[in-house]
């Protein structure tokens, strides 16, 4: 009976191992996304706080790059979030100023992004 049981259990154990490995992979990707989003958020807040309203296009391009990287990494966590972070990157790289209504409609304001981070942390 042990031989028969192992014949049936071995594939199930292999499948379980694969699922656990895949979950670990997804968890790591989600963590990478959260770290990238958090870094972009902190750098952006720092820029806004320290700029005193003086525009620094070089720094804004750096912020656009941080948001683009966060967007790419977030594709494992949420497609909607990925698109929003792409918009955030465009916001910083565009020379056209976006209205507050556009920012809120696209959910790229700080509060919306922080809420998304908290939601992802809650789904861990």
């Amino acid at each position: 009976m042990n031989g028969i049981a192992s014949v049936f259990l071995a594939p199930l154990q292999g499948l379980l191992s694969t699922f656990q490995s895949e979950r670990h992979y997804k968890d790591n990707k989600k963590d990478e996304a959260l770290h990238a989003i958090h870094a972009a958020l902190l750098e952006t807040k720092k820029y806004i706080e320290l700029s005193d309203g003086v525009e620094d296009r070089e720094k804004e391009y750096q912020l656009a790059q941080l948001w683009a990287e966060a967007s790419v990494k977030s594709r494992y966590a949420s497609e909607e979030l990925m698109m929003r972070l792409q918009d955030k990157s465009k916001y910083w790289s565009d020379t056209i100023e976006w209205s507050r209504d556009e920012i809120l409609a696209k959910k790229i304001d700080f509060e919306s992004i922080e809420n998304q981070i908290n939601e992802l942390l809650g789904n861990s």
Side-chain angles (χ1 to χ4, degrees):
M1 186 81 164
N2 282 343
I4 293 173
S6 67
V7 168
F8 288 111
L9 290 180
L12 292 176
Q13 289 173 332
L15 187 60
L16 179 59
S17 177
T18 300
F19 286 148
Q20 288 173 335
S21 173
E22 186 175 311
R23 178 182 165 95
H24 181 70
Y25 175 79
K26 287 182 180 178
D27 287 346
N28 284 343
K29 292 298 184 183
K30 188 174 172 182
D31 288 346
E32 287 177 20
L34 289 168
H35 284 294
I37 296 165
H38 190 66
L41 192 60
L42 286 177
E43 280 298 312
T44 303
K45 285 183 173 184
K46 184 171 124 181
Y47 169 71
I48 291 170
E49 185 178 316
L50 299 176
S51 71
D52 291 328
V54 178
E55 190 176 285
D56 179 347
R57 287 302 288 158
E58 184 174 337
K59 182 63 178 175
E60 290 174 358
Y61 279 116
Q62 291 171 356
L63 293 174
Q65 181 62 37
L66 285 174
W67 286 109
E69 289 172 15
S71 174
V72 169
K73 289 181 178 182
S74 72
R75 73 184 184 275
Y76 295 102
S78 165
E79 189 172 332
E80 177 205 353
L81 179 59
M82 177 188 73
M83 300 301 290
R84 287 170 50 198
L85 298 180
Q86 283 178 346
D87 285 338
K88 189 72 169 176
S89 177
K90 288 180 200 172
Y91 169 84
W92 285 108
S93 64
D94 276 355
T95 55
I96 300 169
E97 192 166 321
W98 293 27
S99 72
R100 182 76 181 148
D101 289 339
E102 287 175 294
I103 292 167
L104 293 174
K106 291 185 177 284
K107 298 181 183 178
I108 61 170
D109 57 291
F110 291 141
E111 185 178 346
S112 294
I113 291 172
E114 287 172 337
N115 287 340
Q116 183 76 52
I117 291 171
N118 291 332
E119 185 178 310
L120 289 172
L121 286 170
N123 291 335
S124 294

